[in-house]
Amino acid sequence: MSETTSDDRDDATPVSARPREGSAAHGRPLGFVGLNGLGLAAALRLATRFPLLGCDEDPARLSLLIDQAQGRGEVHTTPILAELAERCDMVAVLRPTASEAGATIAGLAASVTAGTMLLDLSVSDPSNTRRIAAELSDRSVHLLDASLLGTDAQAEAGRLLILAGGAEAVLKDVRLYLDHLGTVLHVGAIGAGDCLAALLG
């Protein structure tokens, strides 16, 4: 778990909350990892409705999220992956490559606790997704693959195509978030979203 203090985080990167007028300022935030391109657009879209804790290793991307989210909702940032496991019940991951997505989810898996939901929005390796999902399930942590297809502009407008693979009960738990990003198609068991997204991509 993260042992950083608030002061440590302030020194590492801008950590800011800018609640929108009349927006909810309570509850645990949605964690979001990966703020490059489509990731930033998707994070900004989600921030219009849900409290968000954005994470990226690049401080410039964290600053960009804060700048562009101004007036949209409650947004915080951190460069520390383990902090998401500490502060969030649900963490979404959107990385540009399958290997980066796998490494990020493996990093989160090392620190998340029972009851946490991991949502892989990347186009990941299906076999790796199934393996990690099985390992996490033994610890009562759920993983859903929900590959996002579309452009940055479609993400900001909530018009992405989302190919989801996993148990129906797990999808139900994250449907509120996915519906805000676009049209959700449940295409089969865990890993099926990745398979179809790779074919279409």
Side-chain angles (χ1 to χ4, degrees), residues 4 11 16 18-20 31 48-51 53 57 66 96 116 120 123 127 129 133 140 142 157 168 186 190 201:
T4 58
D11 289 340
S16 176
R18 298 183 178 179
R20 181 182 53 194
T48 63
R49 183 167 294 180
F50 310 103
L53 177 58
E57 64 275 10
I66 291 298
T116 302
D120 185 5
V123 180
S127 60
T129 296
S140 298
H142 300 292
E168 184 66 48
H186 186 206
I190 189 74

Side-chain angles (χ1 to χ4, degrees), residues 132-143:
I132 294 176
E135 294 172 356
L136 290 173
S137 180
D138 292 338
R139 296 166 45 203
S140 298
V141 175
H142 300 292
L143 172 65

Side-chain angles (χ1 to χ4, degrees), residues 90 117 119 144 170-179:
M90 184 176 300
M117 170 73 71
L119 183 58
L144 185 84
V170 177
L171 176 58
K172 183 179 179 181
D173 286 342
V174 302
R175 190 87 194 210
L176 181 66
Y177 300 94
L178 294 179
D179 282 343

Side-chain angles (χ1 to χ4, degrees), residues 63-75:
S63 296
L64 189 60
L65 173 64
I66 291 298
D67 290 343
Q68 295 194 18
Q70 187 172 12
R72 297 187 187 215
E74 182 185 352
V75 176

Side-chain angles (χ1 to χ4, degrees), residues 27-66:
R28 288 164 70 81
L30 167 67
F32 196 101
V33 186
L35 301 173
N36 188 18
L38 186 61
L40 177 62
L44 288 168
R45 171 70 181 179
L46 289 166
T48 63
R49 183 167 294 180
F50 310 103
L52 189 88
L53 177 58
C55 181
D56 199 285
E57 64 275 10
D58 186 346
R61 294 177 191 162
L62 297 176
S63 296
L64 189 60
L65 173 64
I66 291 298

Side-chain angles (χ1 to χ4, degrees), residues 60-136:
R61 294 177 191 162
L62 297 176
S63 296
L64 189 60
L65 173 64
I66 291 298
D67 290 343
Q68 295 194 18
Q70 187 172 12
R72 297 187 187 215
E74 182 185 352
V75 176
H76 296 257
T77 64
T78 177
I80 304 166
L81 192 63
E83 188 175 339
L84 300 183
E86 179 182 325
R87 297 177 59 187
C88 305
D89 296 321
M90 184 176 300
V91 180
V93 174
L94 182 50
R95 292 297 202 179
T97 67
S99 61
E100 289 175 279
T104 298
I105 291 171
L108 286 165
S111 53
V112 293
T113 56
T116 302
M117 170 73 71
L118 297 181
L119 183 58
D120 185 5
L121 305 178
S122 319
V123 180
S124 296
D125 177 74
S127 60
N128 192 48
T129 296
R130 288 190 287 267
R131 178 186 61 79
I132 294 176
E135 294 172 356
L136 290 173

